[in-house]
Amino acid sequence: MAVKTIWPIDHTCGHHADRDLPDRPADRRAGFAEWLARQECTDCWRASNEGDEQDKAAWLKAKRAEEQTASEAWSEQYRMPPLEGTERAVPWGVRCRHQILTNAYTALVTEGFSVKFSVLS
Ligand SMILES: [Zn+2]
């Protein structure tokens, strides 16, 4: 008797696929087939993951723009000298300077103060 290795899977997305599962131990196939049936098919899974990638790129772009605005406002507030460079290098430099200096300020001033404060009290 031939061992059954092809399992008909009805995916949650509504697609049907016959999956060949010969690389699974025989006693695990039924469980794996059951698990597959609770997932989307490969195509749908790939499609929704590509959507995530696009969302991520859009999110990153929005976050970058937000950082840029904050960095420029900060540079103006603290009268930072304008940076020189290419069109791409200047915004990057402004963001880096903002990040490094605000991190340093947090570490040296804000956190330094709280350490001294906790020793005194
Ligand atoms: Zn599907």
Side-chain angles (χ1 to χ4, degrees):
M1 194 179 99
V3 178
K4 183 184 174 189
T5 63
I6 307 276
W7 292 77
I9 314 281
D10 288 310
H11 290 286
T12 53
C13 55
H15 292 121
H16 178 89
D18 289 322
R19 292 288 295 259
D20 193 7
L21 309 172
D23 56 332
R24 302 271 152 181
D27 60 330
R28 297 265 182 85
R29 271 179 214 139
F32 184 67
E34 213 169 273
W35 179 83
L36 277 175
R38 290 198 302 269
Q39 317 299 317
E40 296 181 311
C41 73
T42 318
D43 287 346
C44 289
W45 183 83
R46 201 170 289 153
S48 67
N49 267 36
E50 270 168 21
D52 280 358
E53 282 300 306
Q54 277 168 8
D55 282 355
K56 221 167 153 189
W59 176 83
L60 209 64
K61 206 175 160 191
K63 192 173 152 63
R64 202 41 65 74
E66 200 177 288
E67 279 174 10
Q68 195 65 42
T69 309
S71 301
E72 275 162 13
W74 175 88
S75 298
E76 211 163 290
Q77 189 185 346
Y78 292 97
R79 294 159 195 263
M80 287 289 146
L83 295 175
E84 283 175 25
T86 65
E87 219 171 279
R88 282 170 68 88
V90 170
W92 178 80
V94 169
R95 281 202 308 275
C96 284
R97 180 171 64 183
H98 176 220
Q99 202 174 2
I100 290 165
L101 289 179
T102 50
N103 284 351
Y105 184 86
T106 305
L108 295 172
V109 182
T110 314
E111 285 168 16
F113 179 78
S114 71
V115 169
K116 262 184 251 160
F117 185 78
S118 65
V119 169
L120 284 171
S121 60

